[in-house]
Amino acid sequence: MPGNLVNFIQVLRSHDVRVSPAETLDAMNVATTLGYGDRDRLRDGLGMALAKTPAEETVFNQCFDSYFTRGLADFSLEQDESDTEENPPATAEAPDDSELQPSASDAAALEAAAENNPELAAVMDSELMRALLANDRNALTIAMTQAGEGSGLQQIQMFTQKGQFTRKMLDAMGEQQLRGAIIELERAGDPALANLQRFRDLLREQVRDFVDREYLLHAEGRNQQFMEDVLSKTRLSNIEHSYLHRVHELIRKMARKLAARHARRRRQYRRGHLDMPRTMRRGVANDGLMFNTYWRQVKREKPQLLAICDVSGSVAAYAKFLLLFLYSLQDVLPKVRSFAFSSHLGEVSDLFAEHPVEKAIEMVNWKYGGATDYGSSLQDFADLALDDITSNTTVIILGDARNNNGDPRMDIMRAIYQRSRQVIWLNPESRRAWQTGDSEMFRYLSACHFSAECNNLKQLERVVDQLLKSTR
Amino acid sequence: MHTQDFPQLSSVETIQEGFESFGYICSDKIATAVFLAFQLRKPILVEGPPGVGKTELAKTTSQLLDTPLIRLQCYEGLDEAKALYEWKYGKQLLYTQVLKEKLGDLLQGAQGLAESVERLHQFGDIFYSEEFLEPRPLLKAMQQERGAILLIDEVDKSDYEFESLLLEILSDYQISIPEIGTVKARTSPMVFLTSNNTRDISDALKRRCLHLYIPFPSIELEERIVRSRVPDVEEHLRHQLVEFVHSLRQLDLKKSPAISETIDWARSLLLLHADQLEEEVVRSTLNVLLKFEDDIEAADGELNKLVRDAREG
């Protein structure tokens, strides 16, 4: 069982439930303490040690059920026992697909046919067929599990591999002989053919089910991770519309991760350490008696973040994600103000506060989209917020700096640069393109503390991580 | 804490029975959690909506074991001085003053400054000894001879720094006091942490705990709870009122009624001599269940249907 438990934990991990080695040990202890007798209790207990959020608990329960139920009940020839338990008796007794179910008479017919057919007789004598005929579920389950392990089923990656694995397992279990016999019977026109076919179909069906379950258990979680990995490295503008919702989910996840990593350092104790010099100084008045203690307090100004997003056609796809990201980050940095511009600039913080994020982004695009004019937008920004920029403010700008050959208004950029703590410019274009055409990026660079190419989620995450480190 | 000292905790069933004798009706899962926490010496992190009996669980366990319950209520800004220990500065300073006079005796015969300092050093540490230590809940729980139930309530309200402070206590049941060294628990306490999920608890803390999520109880369980708390309520009224509360929880409310509110409501209905749910009675007592005006209004509109369903259900 311990080996089994370790395997099960592997499965949990592949489903995005993080389990540390220490928790594995805990789970072992839980299992030893509770024993394996009462399954529900074992499930509760293991769940407490392994699942740490209600969401993880749901995943855990699903995995537990599908992992530990693949016992004997999964494979049977007659009416499935677990079925009879779960279904109300009425349906179990109903004369359902008895056509498909091989029964004792099938076996008898086959026995009879085998007497004058050596090929069939050999098959009937094989281990697999004997087990099938005797409905020896134990042996069959073992054979199936062994075949699964032998063919490396646990390494299954994609659903396209299912057929291949099914075949491998059937071969390992000796289905080939069965097939041979069927062809033989077909040629001879033996009436027992249908009976044998029924056995074969059932076997195939069971193996297919087995592969399906293993796929769900081992590959699905991994595929999701793979998908996320790919998405986070794809250029945001290239992500297909149908994957957008997954990207949203991914962005939220990243924001949560960053929030967790950084939020813990934001707050400081209200009361710090004993301020010895001050305590002694005040004690002088009492003839050196230090009756009043003084405490060093840590004061911290909250950082302020101003985000300016170019939402003009060329950058809109990226701006959307940055806005979404900033919106999700409000947990960490409560003072986030967002501005959007193309030809004119306006504050959009309220839109984000009042509407759900998807709708807000849509409204921003609708209100401020159009042709880009960095000059007048910077002027608008200066009118709106320049006075609010202090040495605690971080200004983050997302844009391609393509100004249609207009006035870049470096003076305003410089003013922002001088007043703020830092100016970060994220450019979705690759660095090589920064000097080409109407791009003013190289001029703006002189008024930025930090600039980065940013067109996929990985880069965005790295930049924001950097940002949070410096605004703490 | 050893099993032989506490036969009440020897199996999941005995725990359930024991809890029941103190009026705490719990599911199999909760009892399993307590059993495991005791056997494996692990803290339990109890989560769930407000009013499902998270704090009550710790209290009942302390009643069951007849050990002191030491409670630490968490809030933003809680620091080690309030949670762990503090030096009795006043006492330390007072003693310094008193000892000032003794200083002459102490230094008598000392040649030069170096020797005086040397002598003072020999007494230097007494001010930072346990004599001058003011234990706060966490340290107090460690000092209990027979063990204790340590309830760290609403840990999600505290700061992240405080969580890291808990890590040492929760894994080894010991506390490092820089001036003294490590204080180990005489008997490791049973620890309950509760959280309403106002923020995420750090992974490090979660890893050290068993994780117990208590949802709102099922109808059967809640009926049993009401029966044990308010035994005078007639059976069919009890069924109706629990049914009603359950359908209230399905509504989109700011705050769903908790078990404690179900019990309060059952008591109110008893006082009003109601023998079954009537729309009028329900309307006039709705404020026992719902604590927001918006919620009451929302429920008021559906009242007719809800009462009818509850009476039929």
Side-chain angles (χ1 to χ4, degrees), chain A residues 273-468:
Chain A
H273 292 282
L274 183 65
D275 188 350
M276 209 52 204
R278 188 151 177 236
T279 307
M280 284 174 77
R281 222 163 34 234
R282 294 300 155 104
V284 171
N286 307 329
D287 196 19
L289 289 180
M290 297 177 279
F291 267 117
N292 290 324
T293 50
Y294 290 90
W295 298 87
R296 211 168 256 149
Q297 289 183 342
V298 185
K299 261 197 193 152
R300 224 160 221 263
E301 293 209 23
K302 278 186 185 158
Q304 194 190 15
L305 184 65
L306 301 179
I308 309 175
C309 275
D310 183 351
V311 290
S312 66
S314 53
V315 199
Y318 305 103
K320 194 168 167 183
F321 292 106
L322 185 74
L323 288 172
L324 188 63
F325 204 97
L326 288 169
Y327 181 82
S328 316
L329 268 178
Q330 275 172 348
D331 286 346
V332 204
L333 296 169
K335 286 171 105 180
V336 180
R337 286 173 72 187
S338 336
F339 302 84
F341 75 92
S342 48
S343 59
H344 285 280
L345 176 142
E347 180 158 3
V348 294
S349 315
D350 289 348
L351 288 178
F352 280 95
E354 283 161 22
H355 301 282
V357 60
E358 280 85 2
K359 187 164 179 221
I361 289 173
E362 218 170 87
M363 288 169 78
V364 169
N365 275 329
W366 173 76
K367 214 166 160 183
Y368 295 102
T372 339
D373 184 345
Y374 274 78
S376 72
S377 299
L378 279 173
Q379 182 61 55
D380 289 344
F381 178 70
D383 295 343
L384 273 172
L386 192 59
D387 291 343
D388 299 338
I389 297 180
T390 68
S391 57
N392 253 320
T393 312
T394 296
V395 180
I396 177 165
I397 305 175
L398 181 92
D400 56 4
R402 297 208 173 264
N403 198 22
N404 301 322
N405 299 318
D407 181 2
R409 293 302 297 270
M410 281 308 291
D411 53 325
I412 302 177
M413 227 12 228
R414 253 178 228 297
I416 297 172
Y417 176 73
Q418 275 154 10
R419 278 166 174 253
S420 63
R421 182 195 171 101
Q422 59 177 347
V423 178
I424 298 176
W425 193 300
L426 304 178
N427 194 327
E429 286 187 354
S430 74
R431 224 168 244 277
R432 264 172 284 124
W434 286 6
Q435 216 174 356
T436 60
D438 59 348
S439 172
E440 302 282 359
M441 194 58 201
F442 267 48
R443 295 181 70 185
Y444 282 134
L445 270 189
S446 64
C448 291
H449 295 84
F450 177 74
S451 67
E453 179 186 330
C454 175
N455 53 43
N456 65 35
L457 291 179
K458 268 267 159 336
Q459 287 171 341
L460 185 60
E461 189 188 13
R462 209 174 305 140
V463 171
V464 178
D465 194 26
Q466 191 68 38
L467 167 83
L468 289 173

Side-chain angles (χ1 to χ4, degrees), chain B residues 201-249:
Chain B
I201 308 292
S202 74
D203 285 346
L205 186 61
K206 281 187 168 176
R207 255 204 314 279
R208 281 165 177 80
C209 302
L210 294 170
H211 189 264
L212 173 66
Y213 182 81
I214 308 185
F216 284 121
S218 63
I219 292 189
E220 295 74 37
L221 192 62
E222 193 158 6
E223 272 188 59
R224 282 177 58 204
I225 294 170
V226 173
R227 188 171 60 206
S228 103
R229 289 300 173 91
V230 198
D232 296 337
V233 175
E234 293 284 330
E235 195 190 326
H236 71 274
L237 176 63
R238 186 170 64 225
H239 181 70
Q240 284 177 7
L241 75 90
V242 171
E243 194 84 42
F244 181 81
V245 171
H246 269 256
S247 44
L248 265 192
R249 285 188 192 135

Side-chain angles (χ1 to χ4, degrees), chain B residues 137-149:
Chain B
L138 294 183
L139 185 58
K140 218 183 262 171
M142 304 279 152
Q143 289 172 335
Q144 299 298 319
E145 206 58 64
R146 264 192 87 230
I149 307 294

Side-chain angles (χ1 to χ4, degrees), chain A residues 26 48 57 267 289-290, chain B residues 29 42 93 97 161 211:
Chain A
D26 285 345
M48 282 168 211
E57 203 175 318
R267 292 203 198 110
L289 289 180
M290 297 177 279
Chain B
K29 195 173 165 186
K42 288 218 127 211
L93 290 170
Q97 291 308 314
E161 288 86 348
H211 189 264

Side-chain angles (χ1 to χ4, degrees), chain B residues 136-192:
Chain B
R136 300 283 192 215
L138 294 183
L139 185 58
K140 218 183 262 171
M142 304 279 152
Q143 289 172 335
Q144 299 298 319
E145 206 58 64
R146 264 192 87 230
I149 307 294
L150 174 60
L151 168 62
I152 303 176
D153 217 359
E154 302 192 311
V155 68
D156 53 332
K157 298 266 169 66
S158 69
D159 305 317
Y160 273 109
E161 288 86 348
F162 181 72
E163 270 183 34
S164 343
L165 197 73
L166 286 178
L167 296 182
E168 188 186 6
I169 298 168
L170 295 185
S171 54
D172 301 326
Y173 298 109
Q174 63 178 36
I175 292 171
S176 301
I177 300 174
E179 294 87 347
I180 294 179
T182 329
V183 177
K184 220 172 156 32
R186 297 202 172 113
T187 309
S188 44
M190 249 181 112
V191 187
F192 291 84

